PDB file of all heavy atoms in Angstrom:
ATOM      1  N   VAL A 460      20.911 -10.371  17.514  1.00  0.00           N
ATOM      2  CA  VAL A 460      20.258 -10.785  16.275  1.00  0.00           C
ATOM      3  C   VAL A 460      18.813 -10.306  16.246  1.00  0.00           C
ATOM      4  O   VAL A 460      18.306  -9.866  15.204  1.00  0.00           O
ATOM      5  CB  VAL A 460      20.348 -12.310  16.091  1.00  0.00           C
ATOM      6  CG1 VAL A 460      19.517 -13.065  17.116  1.00  0.00           C
ATOM      7  CG2 VAL A 460      19.934 -12.706  14.675  1.00  0.00           C
ATOM      8  N   HIS A 461      18.111 -10.344  17.376  1.00  0.00           N
ATOM      9  CA  HIS A 461      16.736  -9.860  17.406  1.00  0.00           C
ATOM     10  C   HIS A 461      16.668  -8.343  17.469  1.00  0.00           C
ATOM     11  O   HIS A 461      15.732  -7.733  16.949  1.00  0.00           O
ATOM     12  CB  HIS A 461      15.988 -10.480  18.591  1.00  0.00           C
ATOM     13  CG  HIS A 461      15.729 -11.947  18.439  1.00  0.00           C
ATOM     14  ND1 HIS A 461      16.467 -12.901  19.104  1.00  0.00           N
ATOM     15  CD2 HIS A 461      14.839 -12.618  17.681  1.00  0.00           C
ATOM     16  CE1 HIS A 461      16.023 -14.104  18.771  1.00  0.00           C
ATOM     17  NE2 HIS A 461      15.043 -13.968  17.898  1.00  0.00           N
ATOM     18  N   GLN A 462      17.661  -7.724  18.112  1.00  0.00           N
ATOM     19  CA  GLN A 462      17.713  -6.261  18.125  1.00  0.00           C
ATOM     20  C   GLN A 462      17.931  -5.725  16.716  1.00  0.00           C
ATOM     21  O   GLN A 462      17.298  -4.752  16.300  1.00  0.00           O
ATOM     22  CB  GLN A 462      18.813  -5.798  19.080  1.00  0.00           C
ATOM     23  CG  GLN A 462      18.467  -6.078  20.538  1.00  0.00           C
ATOM     24  CD  GLN A 462      19.673  -6.041  21.464  1.00  0.00           C
ATOM     25  OE1 GLN A 462      20.817  -6.017  21.008  1.00  0.00           O
ATOM     26  NE2 GLN A 462      19.433  -6.046  22.760  1.00  0.00           N
ATOM     27  N   LYS A 463      18.820  -6.374  15.963  1.00  0.00           N
ATOM     28  CA  LYS A 463      19.003  -5.989  14.563  1.00  0.00           C
ATOM     29  C   LYS A 463      17.716  -6.214  13.771  1.00  0.00           C
ATOM     30  O   LYS A 463      17.334  -5.393  12.928  1.00  0.00           O
ATOM     31  CB  LYS A 463      20.144  -6.795  13.932  1.00  0.00           C
ATOM     32  CG  LYS A 463      21.534  -6.369  14.339  1.00  0.00           C
ATOM     33  CD  LYS A 463      22.568  -7.178  13.561  1.00  0.00           C
ATOM     34  CE  LYS A 463      23.979  -6.755  13.898  1.00  0.00           C
ATOM     35  NZ  LYS A 463      24.983  -7.522  13.119  1.00  0.00           N
ATOM     36  N   GLY A 464      17.082  -7.352  14.034  1.00  0.00           N
ATOM     37  CA  GLY A 464      15.852  -7.656  13.324  1.00  0.00           C
ATOM     38  C   GLY A 464      14.774  -6.607  13.534  1.00  0.00           C
ATOM     39  O   GLY A 464      13.972  -6.330  12.638  1.00  0.00           O
ATOM     40  N   TRP A 465      14.743  -6.002  14.731  1.00  0.00           N
ATOM     41  CA  TRP A 465      13.779  -4.927  15.005  1.00  0.00           C
ATOM     42  C   TRP A 465      13.983  -3.765  14.033  1.00  0.00           C
ATOM     43  O   TRP A 465      13.025  -3.246  13.451  1.00  0.00           O
ATOM     44  CB  TRP A 465      13.945  -4.467  16.449  1.00  0.00           C
ATOM     45  CG  TRP A 465      13.090  -3.299  16.828  1.00  0.00           C
ATOM     46  CD1 TRP A 465      11.807  -3.333  17.303  1.00  0.00           C
ATOM     47  CD2 TRP A 465      13.452  -1.904  16.774  1.00  0.00           C
ATOM     48  NE1 TRP A 465      11.345  -2.058  17.538  1.00  0.00           N
ATOM     49  CE2 TRP A 465      12.339  -1.172  17.221  1.00  0.00           C
ATOM     50  CE3 TRP A 465      14.610  -1.231  16.384  1.00  0.00           C
ATOM     51  CZ2 TRP A 465      12.345   0.233  17.297  1.00  0.00           C
ATOM     52  CZ3 TRP A 465      14.619   0.149  16.453  1.00  0.00           C
ATOM     53  CH2 TRP A 465      13.502   0.871  16.906  1.00  0.00           C
ATOM     54  N   LEU A 466      15.233  -3.346  13.836  1.00  0.00           N
ATOM     55  CA  LEU A 466      15.503  -2.214  12.955  1.00  0.00           C
ATOM     56  C   LEU A 466      15.379  -2.605  11.482  1.00  0.00           C
ATOM     57  O   LEU A 466      14.992  -1.785  10.645  1.00  0.00           O
ATOM     58  CB  LEU A 466      16.897  -1.656  13.229  1.00  0.00           C
ATOM     59  CG  LEU A 466      17.263  -0.371  12.473  1.00  0.00           C
ATOM     60  CD1 LEU A 466      16.296   0.772  12.813  1.00  0.00           C
ATOM     61  CD2 LEU A 466      18.693   0.052  12.774  1.00  0.00           C
ATOM     62  N   LEU A 467      15.702  -3.862  11.168  1.00  0.00           N
ATOM     63  CA  LEU A 467      15.657  -4.315   9.776  1.00  0.00           C
ATOM     64  C   LEU A 467      14.251  -4.680   9.306  1.00  0.00           C
ATOM     65  O   LEU A 467      14.072  -5.005   8.122  1.00  0.00           O
ATOM     66  CB  LEU A 467      16.578  -5.527   9.598  1.00  0.00           C
ATOM     67  CG  LEU A 467      18.081  -5.241   9.714  1.00  0.00           C
ATOM     68  CD1 LEU A 467      18.858  -6.547   9.806  1.00  0.00           C
ATOM     69  CD2 LEU A 467      18.571  -4.396   8.565  1.00  0.00           C
ATOM     70  N   ASP A 468      13.291  -4.609  10.189  1.00  0.00           N
ATOM     71  CA  ASP A 468      11.911  -4.921   9.810  1.00  0.00           C
ATOM     72  C   ASP A 468      11.500  -4.074   8.604  1.00  0.00           C
ATOM     73  O   ASP A 468      11.569  -2.843   8.657  1.00  0.00           O
ATOM     74  CB  ASP A 468      10.979  -4.646  10.986  1.00  0.00           C
ATOM     75  CG  ASP A 468       9.530  -4.891  10.628  1.00  0.00           C
ATOM     76  OD1 ASP A 468       9.131  -6.054  10.519  1.00  0.00           O
ATOM     77  OD2 ASP A 468       8.795  -3.895  10.431  1.00  0.00           O
ATOM     78  N   PRO A 469      11.074  -4.714   7.500  1.00  0.00           N
ATOM     79  CA  PRO A 469      10.765  -3.954   6.273  1.00  0.00           C
ATOM     80  C   PRO A 469       9.688  -2.896   6.475  1.00  0.00           C
ATOM     81  O   PRO A 469       9.781  -1.798   5.901  1.00  0.00           O
ATOM     82  CB  PRO A 469      10.307  -5.042   5.293  1.00  0.00           C
ATOM     83  CG  PRO A 469      10.917  -6.303   5.798  1.00  0.00           C
ATOM     84  CD  PRO A 469      10.944  -6.172   7.295  1.00  0.00           C
ATOM     85  N   VAL A 470       8.666  -3.192   7.260  1.00  0.00           N
ATOM     86  CA  VAL A 470       7.595  -2.214   7.474  1.00  0.00           C
ATOM     87  C   VAL A 470       8.122  -1.012   8.245  1.00  0.00           C
ATOM     88  O   VAL A 470       7.811   0.145   7.928  1.00  0.00           O
ATOM     89  CB  VAL A 470       6.416  -2.873   8.219  1.00  0.00           C
ATOM     90  CG1 VAL A 470       5.354  -1.828   8.559  1.00  0.00           C
ATOM     91  CG2 VAL A 470       5.814  -3.992   7.373  1.00  0.00           C
ATOM     92  N   ARG A 471       8.926  -1.275   9.281  1.00  0.00           N
ATOM     93  CA  ARG A 471       9.495  -0.174  10.070  1.00  0.00           C
ATOM     94  C   ARG A 471      10.382   0.714   9.200  1.00  0.00           C
ATOM     95  O   ARG A 471      10.319   1.940   9.282  1.00  0.00           O
ATOM     96  CB  ARG A 471      10.270  -0.722  11.266  1.00  0.00           C
ATOM     97  CG  ARG A 471      10.949   0.366  12.109  1.00  0.00           C
ATOM     98  CD  ARG A 471      11.481  -0.161  13.416  1.00  0.00           C
ATOM     99  NE  ARG A 471      10.382  -0.448  14.348  1.00  0.00           N
ATOM    100  CZ  ARG A 471       9.943  -1.651  14.645  1.00  0.00           C
ATOM    101  NH1 ARG A 471      10.517  -2.706  14.104  1.00  0.00           N
ATOM    102  NH2 ARG A 471       8.943  -1.827  15.474  1.00  0.00           N
ATOM    103  N   GLN A 472      11.220   0.092   8.384  1.00  0.00           N
ATOM    104  CA  GLN A 472      12.102   0.878   7.529  1.00  0.00           C
ATOM    105  C   GLN A 472      11.313   1.677   6.500  1.00  0.00           C
ATOM    106  O   GLN A 472      11.629   2.852   6.226  1.00  0.00           O
ATOM    107  CB  GLN A 472      13.116  -0.040   6.829  1.00  0.00           C
ATOM    108  CG  GLN A 472      14.127  -0.665   7.772  1.00  0.00           C
ATOM    109  CD  GLN A 472      15.263  -1.346   7.028  1.00  0.00           C
ATOM    110  OE1 GLN A 472      16.202  -0.688   6.600  1.00  0.00           O
ATOM    111  NE2 GLN A 472      15.162  -2.658   6.860  1.00  0.00           N
ATOM    112  N   GLN A 473      10.280   1.079   5.928  1.00  0.00           N
ATOM    113  CA  GLN A 473       9.477   1.790   4.929  1.00  0.00           C
ATOM    114  C   GLN A 473       8.814   3.025   5.543  1.00  0.00           C
ATOM    115  O   GLN A 473       8.836   4.111   4.947  1.00  0.00           O
ATOM    116  CB  GLN A 473       8.419   0.861   4.347  1.00  0.00           C
ATOM    117  CG  GLN A 473       7.542   1.518   3.285  1.00  0.00           C
ATOM    118  CD  GLN A 473       6.477   0.571   2.762  1.00  0.00           C
ATOM    119  OE1 GLN A 473       6.114  -0.399   3.422  1.00  0.00           O
ATOM    120  NE2 GLN A 473       5.965   0.846   1.580  1.00  0.00           N
ATOM    121  N   ARG A 474       8.252   2.863   6.727  1.00  0.00           N
ATOM    122  CA  ARG A 474       7.600   3.997   7.379  1.00  0.00           C
ATOM    123  C   ARG A 474       8.606   5.078   7.757  1.00  0.00           C
ATOM    124  O   ARG A 474       8.279   6.270   7.741  1.00  0.00           O
ATOM    125  CB  ARG A 474       6.862   3.520   8.627  1.00  0.00           C
ATOM    126  CG  ARG A 474       5.630   2.665   8.336  1.00  0.00           C
ATOM    127  CD  ARG A 474       5.054   2.112   9.621  1.00  0.00           C
ATOM    128  NE  ARG A 474       3.846   1.324   9.371  1.00  0.00           N
ATOM    129  CZ  ARG A 474       3.235   0.577  10.293  1.00  0.00           C
ATOM    130  NH1 ARG A 474       3.735   0.530  11.530  1.00  0.00           N
ATOM    131  NH2 ARG A 474       2.155  -0.098   9.988  1.00  0.00           N
ATOM    132  N   ALA A 475       9.823   4.658   8.093  1.00  0.00           N
ATOM    133  CA  ALA A 475      10.840   5.614   8.517  1.00  0.00           C
ATOM    134  C   ALA A 475      11.549   6.281   7.345  1.00  0.00           C
ATOM    135  O   ALA A 475      12.279   7.264   7.551  1.00  0.00           O
ATOM    136  CB  ALA A 475      11.870   4.915   9.402  1.00  0.00           C
TER     137      ALA A 475
END
Side-chain angles (χ1 to χ4, degrees):
V460 68
H461 291 103
Q462 291 162 348
K463 285 184 178 181
W465 176 88
L466 186 60
L467 291 168
D468 177 74
V470 175
R471 177 169 287 105
Q472 292 191 81
Q473 181 182 22
R474 290 174 178 171

